[in-house]
Amino acid sequence: MTLPENTADRTFQVDLRGLVDLLSHHLYSSPRVYLRELMQNAVDALTARHALDPAAPAGSFGIRLYADRSVVRVEDDGVGLTEADVHTFLATIGRSSKRADGIAEQRGDFIGQFGIGLLSCFLVADEIHVVSRSARTPGAPAVEWRGRGDGSYTVRTLPASARPAPGTTVTLTPRADAAEWTAPARVQHLARHFGSLLRHPVTFDDGSGGSAVPVNPEPAPWARTYPTPGARSRALAAYGEEVFGFTPLDTLELDLPAVGLKGIACVLPEAVPAGRRHGHRVHVKGMLLSEQAEEILPDWAFFVRCVVDAESLRPTASRESLYEDDTLAAVRDALAERLRAWIARIAASDPELLHRFLQAHHLSVKSLAVHDDEILRMLLPWLPFETTDGHCTLDEFARTHRTVLVTSSVEEFRQVAAIASAAGLGVVNGGYTYDRELVHRLPEIRPEVSVADLDPATLTAHLDPVDRETELAAAAYLALARDALAVFDCDVALRSFQPASAPALLVDSREARHERTRSRLAREQEGGLWGDILGALQQEAPRAQLILNQLNPLVRTAVAIDEPELARTSAEALYGQAALLSRRPLRPAESSLINRSFLDLLAHALRKDS
């Protein structure tokens, strides 16, 4: 394609105020990040200065913060800028000084990499005043740059006395509406919040005339030396409690030399709701990046909260979260392996801690065991389940039940638990998240144990039939009961089972109810499109079964009733009571039946008394 001769390249026009508004509403989470960006720029300048002067003693270059009611100032002893640097980097949006002079190859040494951090200062001030003197160019004069929120700026050269030593001073005159973020106490708090683990000395002066106070007086707790391993462990736990506000159940030290990551993982002492993920506190080269970095650990690890400081993780443009790349994925996998190793260690050597851990976090461990064969082998026998023997571990349960039956829902377990227990059947509630899948894997750990799904036929096979004479005597009542309960697709049978206190058992699975509903809809829609579709899906609809207990005195009295209406009402009442005992949601027709049968029985009793 040939361009017209009068075509010329043009430069984008940038509305700086609009850009700042975009940053404040969509890139940065809060105006408070202005101080983090200033400190970050200062740290990067110090990193470059050390690269120029590697023989300089540790701590010889630092950062000084000052805030009173009128100004906020950040001063560093870093590499500084020349006048040409100022024009190139401070006045060009998106250009970073870390890209200059061959530093691009060493960008991993710097926190900031996007060249837009200084704009965050416009979130709290209308003007940014920078005075800088370069350490790269001996004898270079100091340079002053003033940038304004309307997009204009000025640059001028200052006498050497304006900045005798190399470095940079950034001064902000806060707007009145930014007092919340620029008050001296808030600036000091933010400096400690963001910079408590920085490796360069940082001090703060509130302008009251006293001496400046250190912001980061001590190195990170994992970087200190301690007299004993026990003292180190207690110090790390105390740091975790200080950061997160809870006493850890245990504290794991994290160390991944390949990416320069160090830190701790604190095990939560109490369970957390399923699926809820706690954020982790992530520092990059000492600067706090995020307090809610969920992506550093896998989803199943919601039983810990971490504080880490890393060298090689990449921040996003806002520098408030981590960039998802291969390095982060490798770190996540490595930290997950550390957590698995910790679980293996306490399983092998600290049963008391393991017990407390599983009491609080069995759900997260179950989610891990589903996908992790090693954890499955180590911990499945120790995990608690709801069974017909009460809440116990599978290891305890398998000692008394070589055949383990598992239900597909909580509702099904509650229907059969009492009767199955009395019949000597070992049933596990498989209705909770992960439980059914895990119970079916028990033979991998205990080959002598077999596992099967519980079905109605298995249960009814363990109920004793009544003798022929008793069944014939109850035939008329059973026929009336079947007729009364036909609306629920429910059959009625008479058996003997323990406990004798249970008058009836309602055997009815969720799948069976769904199939009956589908069959009913197909009949109602017969001949139409939906009727054809539902008819194609239709299977033989299994019926519910109300099993009456001949050992129960109330049932023995009921089957002898010779008044048809009273017999129907008693059958409806027994069905309603069995449905209530199953603790499943009642259908409107069942709720109506329970109310009607109760009132009819009450009316019959009152008529009889009168």
Side-chain angles (χ1 to χ4, degrees), residues 79-405:
V79 72
L81 300 170
T82 64
E83 182 175 354
D85 293 336
V86 166
H87 284 290
T88 302
F89 302 117
L90 297 189
T92 305
I93 295 171
R95 182 76 63 84
S96 171
S97 61
K98 271 80 78 178
R99 299 190 179 108
D101 296 334
I103 295 179
E105 291 79 10
Q106 308 170 30
R107 289 181 69 198
D109 295 334
F110 300 94
I111 305 171
Q113 311 228 342
F114 296 90
I116 57 176
L118 196 63
L119 291 181
S120 65
C121 295
F122 287 123
L123 301 176
V124 297
D126 289 324
E127 183 176 279
I128 305 171
H129 179 216
V130 179
V131 175
S132 186
R133 184 174 179 183
S134 177
R136 291 198 186 97
T137 308
V143 181
E144 177 191 68
W145 178 86
R146 288 183 182 271
R148 289 170 285 276
D150 60 6
S152 63
Y153 71 92
T154 60
V155 179
R156 67 187 180 111
T157 301
L158 300 177
S161 58
R163 176 81 202 197
T168 301
T169 302
V170 181
T171 305
L172 308 178
T173 301
R175 294 193 305 272
D177 63 355
E180 176 185 359
W181 306 108
T182 57
R186 176 56 70 91
V187 172
Q188 184 178 11
H189 171 77
L190 291 177
R192 291 180 186 229
H193 180 72
F194 290 121
S196 62
L197 299 186
L198 287 174
R199 293 84 183 266
H200 305 284
V202 184
T203 61
F204 174 78
D205 184 351
D206 63 2
S208 62
S211 58
V213 297
V215 168
N216 53 341
E218 295 182 304
W222 46 82
R224 305 173 202 164
T225 56
Y226 300 90
T228 65
R232 182 179 186 85
S233 178
R234 288 189 294 273
L236 294 178
Y239 179 72
E241 183 172 2
E242 177 187 346
V243 170
F244 295 126
F246 63 82
T247 302
L249 188 65
D250 198 14
T251 306
L252 298 69
E253 190 162 359
L254 306 174
D255 187 6
L256 302 178
V259 292
L261 183 146
K262 290 181 178 290
I264 58 172
C266 298
V267 182
L268 290 156
E270 297 177 349
V272 295
R276 178 182 173 185
R277 297 183 65 191
H278 283 293
H280 307 286
R281 192 179 178 93
V282 175
H283 299 251
V284 175
K285 302 176 182 69
M287 181 69 72
L288 178 64
L289 181 77
S290 174
E291 296 174 276
Q292 298 297 324
E294 296 181 352
E295 60 273 19
I296 200 164
L297 284 181
D299 291 348
W300 55 260
F302 52 81
F303 57 87
V304 297
R305 295 193 69 183
C306 295
V307 187
V308 299
D309 185 20
E311 295 286 337
S312 301
L313 295 178
R314 291 175 58 194
T316 59
S318 67
R319 293 191 278 276
E320 296 184 335
S321 59
L322 294 170
Y323 184 81
E324 188 68 47
D325 58 9
D326 290 343
T327 301
L328 178 58
V331 166
R332 185 164 49 237
D333 290 344
L335 292 180
E337 188 57 37
R338 295 293 189 277
L339 294 180
R340 290 190 186 94
W342 174 79
I343 293 174
R345 178 176 60 79
I346 66 170
S349 63
D350 197 337
E352 192 275 332
L353 177 58
L354 176 66
H355 176 70
R356 288 190 289 133
F357 170 66
L358 291 179
Q359 271 192 320
H361 301 295
H362 58 271
L363 182 60
S364 58
V365 176
K366 286 178 179 180
S367 70
L368 175 58
V370 166
H371 307 290
D372 191 307
D373 290 345
E374 183 180 355
I375 294 297
L376 179 79
R377 287 191 297 273
M378 284 190 302
L379 294 184
L380 181 59
W382 301 94
L383 290 171
F385 290 82
E386 185 179 8
T387 75
T388 47
D389 290 352
H391 282 84
C392 61
T393 67
L394 285 185
D395 195 54
E396 295 169 333
F397 195 66
R399 290 175 193 164
T400 54
H401 301 282
R402 293 304 186 189
T403 299
V404 175
L405 302 173

Side-chain angles (χ1 to χ4, degrees), residues 7 48 51 55 60 218 265 276 313 330 367 373 415 420 425 469 475 478 480 496 538 543:
T7 299
S60 56
E218 295 182 304
R276 178 182 173 185
L313 295 178
S367 70
D373 290 345
Q415 286 177 8
L425 296 176
E469 183 179 343
L478 295 177
L480 285 170
S496 296
Q538 183 175 352
R543 305 189 73 191

Side-chain angles (χ1 to χ4, degrees), residues 56 66 94 507 555 590-591:
Y66 176 91
V507 179
V555 171
E590 290 173 329
S591 297

Side-chain angles (χ1 to χ4, degrees), residues 400-415:
T400 54
H401 301 282
R402 293 304 186 189
T403 299
V404 175
L405 302 173
V406 58
T407 64
S408 59
S409 67
V410 175
E411 167 193 318
E412 185 178 301
F413 177 80
R414 289 170 176 168
Q415 286 177 8

Side-chain angles (χ1 to χ4, degrees), residues 484-506:
L485 300 178
V487 66
F488 300 115
D489 290 316
C490 182
D491 195 8
V492 183
L494 185 65
R495 297 285 188 273
S496 296
F497 55 86
Q498 295 292 340
S501 58
L505 167 67
L506 180 61

